[in-house]
């Protein structure tokens, strides 16, 4: 799989593009699993994760993490 984030500035905001590409193994069984379960699961997971990233950025919670990690 490939998972990338792209950030760009637009009208005093930061936009994030989240690119997630993957292939499923096991031929037609994997494709069925992807259509029935995996694609929906990954979409929900990434949307939830992106909400968390947005919250950390907008509420400046990231500063506490950066401060802690810079002390080590």
């Amino acid at each position: 799989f490939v998972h990338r984030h792209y950030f760009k500035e637009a009208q005093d905001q930061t936009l994030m593009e989240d690119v997630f590409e993957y292939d499923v193994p096991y031929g037609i069984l994997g494709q069925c699993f992807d259509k029935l379960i995996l694609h929906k699961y990954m979409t929900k997971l990434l949307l939830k994760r992106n909400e968390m990233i947005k919250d950390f950025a907008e509420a400046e919670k990231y500063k506490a993490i950066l401060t802690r990690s810079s002390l080590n």
Side-chain angles (χ1 to χ4, degrees):
F1 75 93
V2 175
H3 187 191
R4 293 187 187 106
H5 294 113
Y6 298 98
F7 296 90
K8 64 181 174 180
E9 194 172 329
Q11 300 174 357
D12 296 327
Q13 295 181 346
T14 301
L15 302 177
M16 181 183 79
E17 180 181 0
D18 195 3
V19 177
F20 185 79
E21 300 171 356
Y22 65 97
D23 291 318
V24 292
Y26 307 115
I28 192 130
L29 289 176
Q31 291 173 3
C32 289
F33 177 74
D34 183 44
K35 284 187 186 236
L36 294 172
I37 299 169
L38 185 60
H39 183 80
K40 291 175 193 171
Y41 172 80
M42 292 306 299
T43 300
K44 286 173 74 173
L45 176 75
L46 292 172
L47 287 172
K48 180 80 172 167
R49 188 171 178 272
N50 289 345
E51 285 178 26
M52 201 176 290
I53 291 170
K54 183 177 189 264
D55 179 51
F56 264 71
E58 290 178 350
E60 298 187 358
K61 294 177 184 178
Y62 67 92
K63 290 180 180 180
I65 293 170
L66 292 177
T67 302
R68 270 188 293 183
S69 64
S70 64
L71 293 175
N72 295 331

